[in-house]
Amino acid sequence: MDSAIKEKILAVASSGRNAAEWTAYFRVTLGLYYLAGLMTSETIDFKKVDRAFNQFIYHTIGKGHTITSVLQFMSGAKVVPVVSSSRFIAAFSAHCPDVPSDTIPFLLQLNLGVAKNISGIDAGGPLLDWIEAQAPPPAAEGGPAAGAPAMPEVL
C-alpha cells in the first residue's frame, strides 16, 4: 500500500458528513482497494499485504479495527447505504479511478462469497439484493443484447 492509495482513501473518507460516515467511507474505500488488489495473476504475500493495511487502519482509526473487520463490515447490510450513496460514488469515482466504480458490485460479491465460504452462513440479505439489483438487465430472448448493434439476417 503506497502513499498515493492512502491519500485517495482519505480523500474519499473526507467526503463523509460526520464521524460515522467518514469511518464508513474509509472502511469501504479501503476494503475495495484490498479486494481489487486480489485481482492479479501474481502470487500474493497475504501476511505482508495485511500488515500494511492493518498498520494504515491502526494509524488512521485506532485500535480494534483490522482488514478482517473491514471485510466483515463490507459483507453485511451496513455497507449498502454507503455504496448506494451518490456522494460516496461521486467521491470514489473522482479520487479512485484505478478501481472503477462499476466494479463495486463484483468486488462486494467476491467478498460476500469468501465470507459465506468461511462462515457457512447463507449470503442472502440486503447486500446480495443490492448486488443483484446492480446487474444489467438481461437481453431480450432472441434479440440483440442491450446496446449491441443488430446483426443483419443471413439467408
Side-chain angles (χ1 to χ4, degrees), residues 28 31-40 71 74-75 79 83 88-89 92 98-115 123 127-136:
V28 173
L32 290 170
Y33 265 99
Y34 182 88
L35 293 167
L38 301 179
M39 302 292 107
T40 180
L71 295 175
M74 291 181 58
S75 65
V79 75
V83 295
F88 173 78
I89 296 299
F92 188 83
D98 46 331
V99 181
S101 60
D102 64 348
T103 64
I104 292 173
F106 168 77
L107 294 171
L108 290 174
Q109 188 168 28
L110 171 70
N111 186 52
L112 195 58
V114 170
L127 177 56
L128 185 59
D129 294 344
W130 181 87
I131 292 168
E132 290 173 350
Q134 306 313 301

Short mmCIF file of all heavy atoms in Angstrom, two decimals, residues 28 31-40 71 74-75 79 83 88-89 92 98-115 123 127-136:
data_model
loop_
_atom_site.label_atom_id
_atom_site.label_comp_id
_atom_site.label_asym_id
_atom_site.label_seq_id
_atom_site.Cartn_x
_atom_site.Cartn_y
_atom_site.Cartn_z
N VAL A 28 -15.03 1.27 3.56
CA VAL A 28 -15.45 0.74 2.26
C VAL A 28 -14.39 1.01 1.20
O VAL A 28 -14.04 0.11 0.42
CB VAL A 28 -16.83 1.30 1.85
CG1 VAL A 28 -17.19 0.89 0.43
CG2 VAL A 28 -17.90 0.83 2.83
N GLY A 31 -11.44 -1.25 1.85
CA GLY A 31 -11.80 -2.62 1.51
C GLY A 31 -11.87 -2.86 0.02
O GLY A 31 -11.45 -3.91 -0.47
N LEU A 32 -12.37 -1.87 -0.73
CA LEU A 32 -12.42 -2.01 -2.18
C LEU A 32 -11.02 -2.07 -2.78
O LEU A 32 -10.75 -2.86 -3.70
CB LEU A 32 -13.24 -0.88 -2.80
CG LEU A 32 -14.74 -0.94 -2.52
CD1 LEU A 32 -15.43 0.33 -2.96
CD2 LEU A 32 -15.39 -2.18 -3.16
N TYR A 33 -10.10 -1.26 -2.24
CA TYR A 33 -8.71 -1.33 -2.71
C TYR A 33 -8.10 -2.70 -2.38
O TYR A 33 -7.38 -3.27 -3.20
CB TYR A 33 -7.85 -0.21 -2.11
CG TYR A 33 -7.75 0.97 -3.03
CD1 TYR A 33 -8.55 2.08 -2.84
CD2 TYR A 33 -6.87 0.96 -4.11
CE1 TYR A 33 -8.48 3.16 -3.70
CE2 TYR A 33 -6.80 2.03 -4.97
CZ TYR A 33 -7.60 3.13 -4.77
OH TYR A 33 -7.54 4.18 -5.64
N TYR A 34 -8.38 -3.19 -1.20
CA TYR A 34 -7.86 -4.50 -0.81
C TYR A 34 -8.37 -5.58 -1.76
O TYR A 34 -7.60 -6.38 -2.29
CB TYR A 34 -8.28 -4.81 0.63
CG TYR A 34 -7.75 -6.13 1.15
CD1 TYR A 34 -6.51 -6.19 1.77
CD2 TYR A 34 -8.49 -7.29 1.05
CE1 TYR A 34 -6.00 -7.39 2.27
CE2 TYR A 34 -8.01 -8.50 1.54
CZ TYR A 34 -6.77 -8.55 2.14
OH TYR A 34 -6.29 -9.74 2.62
N LEU A 35 -9.68 -5.60 -1.99
CA LEU A 35 -10.27 -6.61 -2.86
C LEU A 35 -9.80 -6.47 -4.30
O LEU A 35 -9.52 -7.47 -4.97
CB LEU A 35 -11.80 -6.53 -2.78
CG LEU A 35 -12.39 -6.92 -1.42
CD1 LEU A 35 -13.85 -6.50 -1.34
CD2 LEU A 35 -12.22 -8.41 -1.15
N ALA A 36 -9.68 -5.24 -4.78
CA ALA A 36 -9.20 -5.03 -6.15
C ALA A 36 -7.76 -5.53 -6.29
O ALA A 36 -7.38 -6.04 -7.35
CB ALA A 36 -9.29 -3.55 -6.53
N GLY A 37 -6.99 -5.40 -5.23
CA GLY A 37 -5.61 -5.88 -5.25
C GLY A 37 -5.50 -7.39 -5.35
O GLY A 37 -4.44 -7.91 -5.72
N LEU A 38 -6.58 -8.10 -5.05
CA LEU A 38 -6.58 -9.55 -5.16
C LEU A 38 -6.72 -10.01 -6.60
O LEU A 38 -6.46 -11.17 -6.91
CB LEU A 38 -7.71 -10.17 -4.32
CG LEU A 38 -7.71 -9.87 -2.83
CD1 LEU A 38 -8.91 -10.53 -2.16
CD2 LEU A 38 -6.41 -10.30 -2.18
N MET A 39 -7.15 -9.09 -7.47
CA MET A 39 -7.37 -9.42 -8.87
C MET A 39 -6.05 -9.34 -9.63
O MET A 39 -5.79 -8.41 -10.38
CB MET A 39 -8.39 -8.45 -9.51
CG MET A 39 -9.73 -8.43 -8.83
SD MET A 39 -10.62 -9.96 -9.07
CE MET A 39 -10.48 -10.69 -7.44
N THR A 40 -5.20 -10.31 -9.41
CA THR A 40 -3.89 -10.36 -10.05
C THR A 40 -3.50 -11.81 -10.27
O THR A 40 -3.95 -12.70 -9.55
CB THR A 40 -2.83 -9.64 -9.18
OG1 THR A 40 -1.57 -9.71 -9.85
CG2 THR A 40 -2.71 -10.25 -7.81
N LEU A 71 -13.48 -6.10 6.11
CA LEU A 71 -14.12 -7.03 5.18
C LEU A 71 -15.41 -7.59 5.76
O LEU A 71 -16.37 -7.83 5.03
CB LEU A 71 -13.14 -8.14 4.79
CG LEU A 71 -11.92 -7.67 4.00
CD1 LEU A 71 -10.96 -8.83 3.78
CD2 LEU A 71 -12.29 -7.00 2.70
N MET A 74 -17.98 -5.03 5.22
CA MET A 74 -18.36 -4.99 3.81
C MET A 74 -19.17 -6.19 3.36
O MET A 74 -19.63 -6.23 2.23
CB MET A 74 -17.11 -4.85 2.94
CG MET A 74 -16.48 -3.49 3.11
SD MET A 74 -15.04 -3.27 2.10
CE MET A 74 -15.67 -3.53 0.47
N SER A 75 -19.37 -7.18 4.22
CA SER A 75 -20.18 -8.33 3.86
C SER A 75 -21.56 -8.27 4.52
O SER A 75 -22.33 -9.21 4.40
CB SER A 75 -19.47 -9.64 4.22
OG SER A 75 -19.32 -9.77 5.61
N VAL A 79 -23.07 -1.91 4.74
CA VAL A 79 -22.33 -1.37 3.61
C VAL A 79 -23.29 -0.82 2.53
O VAL A 79 -22.90 0.05 1.75
CB VAL A 79 -21.37 -2.43 3.00
CG1 VAL A 79 -22.11 -3.47 2.19
CG2 VAL A 79 -20.31 -1.77 2.14
N VAL A 83 -22.53 2.23 -0.35
CA VAL A 83 -22.38 2.02 -1.79
C VAL A 83 -23.60 2.50 -2.58
O VAL A 83 -23.52 2.65 -3.80
CB VAL A 83 -22.04 0.55 -2.13
CG1 VAL A 83 -20.67 0.20 -1.56
CG2 VAL A 83 -23.09 -0.42 -1.63
N PHE A 88 -20.93 9.14 -2.02
CA PHE A 88 -19.81 8.20 -1.93
C PHE A 88 -19.35 7.81 -3.33
O PHE A 88 -18.15 7.84 -3.62
CB PHE A 88 -20.18 6.94 -1.15
CG PHE A 88 -19.10 5.89 -1.21
CD1 PHE A 88 -17.97 6.00 -0.41
CD2 PHE A 88 -19.19 4.83 -2.10
CE1 PHE A 88 -16.94 5.06 -0.50
CE2 PHE A 88 -18.18 3.88 -2.19
CZ PHE A 88 -17.05 4.00 -1.38
N ILE A 89 -20.27 7.46 -4.20
CA ILE A 89 -19.90 7.02 -5.56
C ILE A 89 -19.20 8.15 -6.30
O ILE A 89 -18.19 7.92 -6.98
CB ILE A 89 -21.12 6.51 -6.34
CG1 ILE A 89 -21.71 5.26 -5.67
CG2 ILE A 89 -20.78 6.25 -7.80
CD1 ILE A 89 -20.76 4.07 -5.59
N PHE A 92 -15.73 8.48 -4.72
CA PHE A 92 -14.92 7.31 -5.06
C PHE A 92 -14.48 7.39 -6.52
O PHE A 92 -13.31 7.14 -6.85
CB PHE A 92 -15.70 6.02 -4.79
CG PHE A 92 -14.88 4.78 -4.94
CD1 PHE A 92 -14.07 4.34 -3.90
CD2 PHE A 92 -14.89 4.04 -6.12
CE1 PHE A 92 -13.30 3.20 -4.03
CE2 PHE A 92 -14.12 2.91 -6.26
CZ PHE A 92 -13.33 2.48 -5.22
N ASP A 98 -8.52 4.23 -10.47
CA ASP A 98 -7.84 2.95 -10.68
C ASP A 98 -8.65 1.76 -10.17
O ASP A 98 -8.31 0.61 -10.45
CB ASP A 98 -6.44 2.96 -10.05
CG ASP A 98 -6.40 3.53 -8.65
OD1 ASP A 98 -7.23 4.40 -8.32
OD2 ASP A 98 -5.52 3.13 -7.87
N VAL A 99 -9.74 2.02 -9.46
CA VAL A 99 -10.71 0.98 -9.08
C VAL A 99 -12.06 1.49 -9.59
O VAL A 99 -12.75 2.22 -8.88
CB VAL A 99 -10.76 0.73 -7.55
CG1 VAL A 99 -11.77 -0.37 -7.23
CG2 VAL A 99 -9.39 0.38 -7.01
N PRO A 100 -12.41 1.16 -10.82
CA PRO A 100 -13.64 1.70 -11.41
C PRO A 100 -14.87 1.42 -10.55
O PRO A 100 -15.03 0.31 -10.03
CB PRO A 100 -13.74 1.00 -12.77
CG PRO A 100 -12.34 0.55 -13.07
CD PRO A 100 -11.71 0.26 -11.73
N SER A 101 -15.71 2.43 -10.40
CA SER A 101 -16.88 2.27 -9.53
C SER A 101 -17.84 1.21 -10.05
O SER A 101 -18.59 0.63 -9.26
CB SER A 101 -17.60 3.61 -9.34
OG SER A 101 -18.05 4.12 -10.58
N ASP A 102 -17.80 0.91 -11.34
CA ASP A 102 -18.69 -0.13 -11.84
C ASP A 102 -18.23 -1.54 -11.43
O ASP A 102 -18.94 -2.51 -11.64
CB ASP A 102 -18.89 -0.03 -13.35
CG ASP A 102 -17.61 -0.25 -14.15
OD1 ASP A 102 -16.50 -0.27 -13.57
OD2 ASP A 102 -17.72 -0.39 -15.39
N THR A 103 -17.06 -1.65 -10.81
CA THR A 103 -16.60 -2.95 -10.30
C THR A 103 -17.02 -3.18 -8.84
O THR A 103 -16.79 -4.27 -8.31
CB THR A 103 -15.06 -3.09 -10.41
OG1 THR A 103 -14.43 -2.13 -9.57
CG2 THR A 103 -14.58 -2.94 -11.84
N ILE A 104 -17.61 -2.18 -8.22
CA ILE A 104 -18.00 -2.31 -6.80
C ILE A 104 -18.91 -3.52 -6.57
O ILE A 104 -18.64 -4.31 -5.66
CB ILE A 104 -18.61 -1.00 -6.26
CG1 ILE A 104 -17.52 0.08 -6.19
CG2 ILE A 104 -19.26 -1.22 -4.90
CD1 ILE A 104 -18.03 1.47 -5.82
N PRO A 105 -19.98 -3.71 -7.36
CA PRO A 105 -20.82 -4.89 -7.11
C PRO A 105 -20.03 -6.21 -7.22
O PRO A 105 -20.21 -7.10 -6.39
CB PRO A 105 -21.90 -4.80 -8.18
CG PRO A 105 -21.97 -3.35 -8.52
CD PRO A 105 -20.56 -2.84 -8.40
N PHE A 106 -19.15 -6.31 -8.20
CA PHE A 106 -18.34 -7.53 -8.36
C PHE A 106 -17.45 -7.74 -7.14
O PHE A 106 -17.36 -8.85 -6.61
CB PHE A 106 -17.49 -7.46 -9.63
CG PHE A 106 -16.45 -8.54 -9.69
CD1 PHE A 106 -16.79 -9.84 -10.02
CD2 PHE A 106 -15.12 -8.26 -9.37
CE1 PHE A 106 -15.83 -10.84 -10.05
CE2 PHE A 106 -14.16 -9.25 -9.40
CZ PHE A 106 -14.51 -10.56 -9.73
N LEU A 107 -16.77 -6.68 -6.69
CA LEU A 107 -15.86 -6.80 -5.55
C LEU A 107 -16.62 -7.17 -4.28
O LEU A 107 -16.16 -7.99 -3.48
CB LEU A 107 -15.06 -5.51 -5.36
CG LEU A 107 -14.09 -5.19 -6.50
CD1 LEU A 107 -13.50 -3.79 -6.33
CD2 LEU A 107 -12.99 -6.24 -6.60
N LEU A 108 -17.79 -6.58 -4.08
CA LEU A 108 -18.60 -6.92 -2.92
C LEU A 108 -19.11 -8.36 -3.00
O LEU A 108 -19.17 -9.06 -1.99
CB LEU A 108 -19.77 -5.95 -2.76
CG LEU A 108 -19.39 -4.53 -2.35
CD1 LEU A 108 -20.61 -3.63 -2.36
CD2 LEU A 108 -18.72 -4.51 -1.00
N GLN A 109 -19.45 -8.81 -4.20
CA GLN A 109 -19.89 -10.18 -4.37
C GLN A 109 -18.75 -11.16 -4.09
O GLN A 109 -18.95 -12.20 -3.46
CB GLN A 109 -20.45 -10.40 -5.77
CG GLN A 109 -21.10 -11.75 -5.96
CD GLN A 109 -21.87 -11.82 -7.24
OE1 GLN A 109 -21.59 -11.15 -8.22
NE2 GLN A 109 -22.90 -12.66 -7.26
N LEU A 110 -17.55 -10.81 -4.54
CA LEU A 110 -16.37 -11.61 -4.24
C LEU A 110 -16.19 -11.73 -2.73
O LEU A 110 -16.01 -12.83 -2.19
CB LEU A 110 -15.13 -10.97 -4.87
CG LEU A 110 -13.77 -11.56 -4.49
CD1 LEU A 110 -13.61 -12.94 -5.09
CD2 LEU A 110 -12.66 -10.63 -4.96
N ASN A 111 -16.25 -10.61 -2.04
CA ASN A 111 -16.08 -10.60 -0.58
C ASN A 111 -17.19 -11.40 0.10
O ASN A 111 -16.93 -12.17 1.03
CB ASN A 111 -16.07 -9.16 -0.07
CG ASN A 111 -15.76 -9.08 1.40
OD1 ASN A 111 -14.78 -9.63 1.87
ND2 ASN A 111 -16.61 -8.38 2.14
N LEU A 112 -18.41 -11.24 -0.37
CA LEU A 112 -19.54 -11.96 0.21
C LEU A 112 -19.39 -13.46 0.00
O LEU A 112 -19.67 -14.26 0.91
CB LEU A 112 -20.84 -11.46 -0.43
CG LEU A 112 -22.15 -11.81 0.24
CD1 LEU A 112 -22.18 -11.31 1.68
CD2 LEU A 112 -23.31 -11.22 -0.54
N GLY A 113 -18.90 -13.87 -1.16
CA GLY A 113 -18.67 -15.29 -1.42
C GLY A 113 -17.62 -15.88 -0.50
O GLY A 113 -17.78 -16.99 0.01
N VAL A 114 -16.54 -15.14 -0.28
CA VAL A 114 -15.49 -15.61 0.62
C VAL A 114 -16.04 -15.71 2.04
O VAL A 114 -15.81 -16.70 2.74
CB VAL A 114 -14.26 -14.69 0.56
CG1 VAL A 114 -13.27 -15.03 1.66
CG2 VAL A 114 -13.59 -14.79 -0.80
N ALA A 115 -16.79 -14.69 2.46
CA ALA A 115 -17.37 -14.69 3.81
C ALA A 115 -18.30 -15.88 3.99
O ALA A 115 -18.30 -16.54 5.03
CB ALA A 115 -18.12 -13.39 4.07
N ALA A 123 -25.59 -16.30 2.24
CA ALA A 123 -25.20 -14.95 1.85
C ALA A 123 -26.40 -14.06 1.54
O ALA A 123 -26.23 -12.88 1.24
CB ALA A 123 -24.27 -15.01 0.64
N LEU A 127 -27.44 -6.95 1.25
CA LEU A 127 -26.28 -6.73 0.38
C LEU A 127 -26.41 -7.54 -0.90
O LEU A 127 -26.19 -7.00 -2.00
CB LEU A 127 -24.97 -7.07 1.09
CG LEU A 127 -23.70 -6.95 0.23
CD1 LEU A 127 -23.57 -5.55 -0.37
CD2 LEU A 127 -22.48 -7.30 1.04
N LEU A 128 -26.78 -8.79 -0.81
CA LEU A 128 -26.95 -9.61 -2.01
C LEU A 128 -28.06 -9.03 -2.88
O LEU A 128 -27.94 -8.98 -4.11
CB LEU A 128 -27.25 -11.06 -1.65
CG LEU A 128 -27.34 -12.03 -2.83
CD1 LEU A 128 -26.03 -12.03 -3.64
CD2 LEU A 128 -27.67 -13.43 -2.35
N ASP A 129 -29.14 -8.55 -2.26
CA ASP A 129 -30.23 -7.91 -3.01
C ASP A 129 -29.70 -6.70 -3.77
O ASP A 129 -30.03 -6.48 -4.94
CB ASP A 129 -31.37 -7.49 -2.08
CG ASP A 129 -32.08 -8.67 -1.44
OD1 ASP A 129 -31.93 -9.82 -1.92
OD2 ASP A 129 -32.79 -8.44 -0.43
N TRP A 130 -28.86 -5.88 -3.11
CA TRP A 130 -28.29 -4.69 -3.76
C TRP A 130 -27.40 -5.10 -4.92
O TRP A 130 -27.47 -4.51 -6.00
CB TRP A 130 -27.51 -3.84 -2.75
CG TRP A 130 -26.94 -2.61 -3.37
CD1 TRP A 130 -27.56 -1.41 -3.50
CD2 TRP A 130 -25.63 -2.46 -3.95
NE1 TRP A 130 -26.72 -0.51 -4.15
CE2 TRP A 130 -25.54 -1.14 -4.43
CE3 TRP A 130 -24.54 -3.31 -4.11
CZ2 TRP A 130 -24.40 -0.65 -5.06
CZ3 TRP A 130 -23.41 -2.83 -4.74
CH2 TRP A 130 -23.34 -1.52 -5.21
N ILE A 131 -26.54 -6.10 -4.71
CA ILE A 131 -25.63 -6.56 -5.76
C ILE A 131 -26.43 -7.03 -6.97
O ILE A 131 -26.13 -6.66 -8.12
CB ILE A 131 -24.72 -7.70 -5.24
CG1 ILE A 131 -23.72 -7.15 -4.21
CG2 ILE A 131 -23.99 -8.39 -6.39
CD1 ILE A 131 -22.98 -8.23 -3.42
N GLU A 132 -27.46 -7.82 -6.73
CA GLU A 132 -28.27 -8.33 -7.83
C GLU A 132 -29.01 -7.21 -8.55
O GLU A 132 -29.20 -7.26 -9.77
CB GLU A 132 -29.25 -9.39 -7.32
CG GLU A 132 -28.53 -10.67 -6.92
CD GLU A 132 -29.43 -11.69 -6.24
OE1 GLU A 132 -30.59 -11.37 -5.88
OE2 GLU A 132 -28.95 -12.83 -6.05
N ALA A 133 -29.41 -6.17 -7.83
CA ALA A 133 -30.10 -5.04 -8.45
C ALA A 133 -29.16 -4.22 -9.35
O ALA A 133 -29.64 -3.48 -10.22
CB ALA A 133 -30.71 -4.13 -7.37
N GLN A 134 -27.86 -4.37 -9.16
CA GLN A 134 -26.90 -3.62 -9.97
C GLN A 134 -26.61 -4.29 -11.30
O GLN A 134 -26.02 -3.69 -12.19
CB GLN A 134 -25.57 -3.42 -9.22
CG GLN A 134 -25.70 -2.80 -7.86
CD GLN A 134 -26.60 -1.58 -7.84
OE1 GLN A 134 -26.35 -0.61 -8.54
NE2 GLN A 134 -27.64 -1.62 -7.03
N ALA A 135 -27.00 -5.54 -11.44
CA ALA A 135 -26.72 -6.28 -12.68
C ALA A 135 -27.50 -5.67 -13.83
O ALA A 135 -28.65 -5.25 -13.66
CB ALA A 135 -27.10 -7.75 -12.50
N PRO A 136 -26.88 -5.59 -15.00
CA PRO A 136 -27.60 -5.06 -16.14
C PRO A 136 -28.77 -5.97 -16.50
O PRO A 136 -28.68 -7.19 -16.29
CB PRO A 136 -26.56 -5.02 -17.27
CG PRO A 136 -25.48 -5.94 -16.83
CD PRO A 136 -25.55 -6.01 -15.33
#
